[in-house]
Amino acid sequence: MTSWQPDVLGPGYEQHRIDLGEDPDGEGRIDATLVRRVPHADETPTGSVLYVHGFSDYFFQTELADFFAARGFAFYALDLRKCGRSLQPGHTAHFVSDLALYDAELERALAIVRAEQAGDVVLAAHSTGGLILPLWLDRRRTPGERGDGVAGLILNSPWFDLQGAPYLRSVGTEVVKLVGRVKPTTVIKLPPGDAYGASLASSHFGEWEFNTAWKPISGFPVTFGWLRAIRLAHARFHRGLDIGVPALVLRSTRSHVASDYSDAVDSADAVLDVRQIARWSGCLGGDTHVVPIEGARHDVFLSTEGPRKRAYEVVDTWLRQEARLVVGPQELPAG
């Protein structure tokens, strides 16, 4: 029996700590945190969603949870080791030396979801989570078969390649691999910038409230060892996967990377290069739909009202017509 405790999101949300023991990367004891939205009395879920966040992020998007609940899904979200609710003193935020290490909490979380809920599971992820989940699915499935009760994958601006100048993906990556192997927690010196975080936060120019200790406005520092793990994962992804389930990829129609906030940040991906998302989505294998959302932010579900509503419409249509998973007729979030 899984033990659930009240979550920081308040009534209607609970959390369960997944003990992962000693950190393979040497930073003491670690755990992950599974969050669930408690179904309302008039809700009878026929499936489940398991959501995974990105870098410098954690789960707080209750509107997204309500959207899936209205379509017959029990909603769960996982704060990975050293991220969000799982970040503890002595931890290097989000640090992991190999993305495959996340398999431990992903397997445990999926087992809990499947034990509590009947029906298929839809996986959903944002940004770095959108790199982690496809690689995990590819590792765990039996060739030629769908993945053990997982029925589909929804990726929100997945991080499929390193953005920026071409040399960063060649010579720069070799430097990252070398330093990341010998000095993994050394911080990479990057230009400061808070444009994206400021566009989201209600305390700045946005409409969303979140814990800035878990999602800093300027993001967490990037370490050589973590970026090495990302680049190795990118290389594996680019060789092609076979995730075995239908996939929906959402992205903005354009990128606008800036250090300081301006109105342009509100209608573009201010973090990733959307052309790279378009280029590499075919590496998922199988039935993949890529849908650009005009005016979307990096997290399309934290976009302004119009693009956000469009993103929900796309997901709703995909669930009904492509994945054939929805039975609930409920309306889209008002925005």
Side-chain angles (χ1 to χ4, degrees):
M1 177 70 71
T2 302
S3 60
W4 295 94
Q5 304 297 325
D7 185 66
V8 295
L9 291 175
Y13 285 87
E14 297 175 333
Q15 65 168 254
H16 169 70
R17 293 279 177 169
I18 299 174
D19 185 1
L20 298 172
E22 290 296 321
D23 181 17
D25 290 320
E27 293 192 332
R29 294 195 66 82
I30 54 172
D31 57 24
T33 311
L34 186 63
V35 180
R36 71 175 180 180
R37 177 190 179 276
V38 180
H40 298 173
D42 59 348
E43 296 173 348
T44 304
T46 57
S48 306
V49 169
L50 176 59
Y51 170 86
V52 177
H53 58 83
F55 180 69
S56 289
D57 208 353
Y58 73 102
F59 171 68
F60 64 93
Q61 297 90 337
T62 56
E63 182 184 84
L64 182 65
D66 290 341
F67 166 83
F68 281 111
R71 278 142 192 85
F73 295 95
F75 186 88
Y76 297 77
L78 183 65
D79 279 10
L80 300 165
R81 65 186 69 190
K82 306 181 192 177
C83 304
R85 298 163 177 81
S86 310
L87 181 62
Q88 302 296 331
H91 288 171
T92 302
H94 289 256
F95 178 75
V96 68
S97 62
D98 185 342
L99 299 194
L101 292 174
Y102 289 133
D103 289 8
E105 54 256 53
L106 290 167
E107 291 290 347
R108 296 269 297 277
L110 181 60
I112 291 171
V113 172
R114 294 188 67 207
E116 290 198 347
Q117 303 293 337
D120 288 326
V121 180
V122 175
L123 301 177
H126 171 54
S127 198
T128 307
L131 177 64
I132 293 167
L133 286 191
L135 291 166
W136 173 55
L137 279 178
D138 185 72
R139 282 191 295 269
R140 76 187 306 271
R141 64 183 293 268
T142 302
E145 297 180 2
R146 289 164 67 96
D148 189 23
V150 175
L153 177 66
I154 300 171
L155 300 181
N156 163 12
S157 300
W159 192 14
F160 288 161
D161 204 354
L162 185 63
Q163 62 276 26
Y167 77 87
L168 295 173
R169 292 184 289 279
S170 55
V171 176
T173 291
E174 293 308 311
V175 173
V176 165
K177 289 179 181 178
L178 176 61
V179 179
R181 188 167 56 248
V182 296
K183 295 183 178 180
T185 58
T186 298
V187 172
I188 301 175
K189 294 182 180 180
L190 298 173
D194 65 358
Y196 176 59
S199 76
L200 301 179
S202 59
S203 58
H204 290 65
F205 303 100
E207 60 182 291
W208 306 101
E209 294 184 7
F210 50 85
N211 184 339
T212 55
W214 294 345
K215 182 179 175 65
I217 300 298
S218 297
F220 284 113
V222 175
T223 61
F224 278 97
W226 177 81
L227 190 56
R228 175 180 181 271
I230 293 292
R231 293 304 286 152
L232 291 173
H234 282 155
R236 173 65 191 93
F237 184 86
H238 294 167
R239 292 195 294 271
L241 309 179
D242 187 4
I243 63 172
V245 296
L248 172 66
V249 179
L250 302 176
R251 63 172 179 88
S252 183
T253 54
R254 68 187 186 96
S255 297
H256 179 80
V257 179
S259 298
D260 300 318
Y261 173 81
S262 69
D263 290 346
V265 176
D266 288 327
S267 58
D269 192 321
V271 178
L272 298 182
D273 186 337
V274 297
R275 296 169 301 179
Q276 293 176 332
I277 299 174
R279 176 185 180 186
W280 294 113
S281 290
C283 289
L284 292 166
D287 181 7
T288 300
H289 290 249
V290 184
V291 183
I293 305 295
E294 180 67 39
R297 290 185 174 125
H298 175 53
D299 188 332
V300 299
F301 298 116
L302 298 182
S303 298
T304 55
E305 181 177 353
R308 191 163 84 245
K309 183 177 180 180
R310 171 59 181 153
Y312 281 124
E313 290 172 347
V314 169
V315 175
D316 185 75
T317 299
W318 181 80
L319 288 168
R320 294 174 187 275
Q321 297 181 1
E322 301 298 333
R324 296 181 177 85
L325 292 168
V326 173
V327 295
Q330 289 83 350
E331 296 180 356
L332 297 164

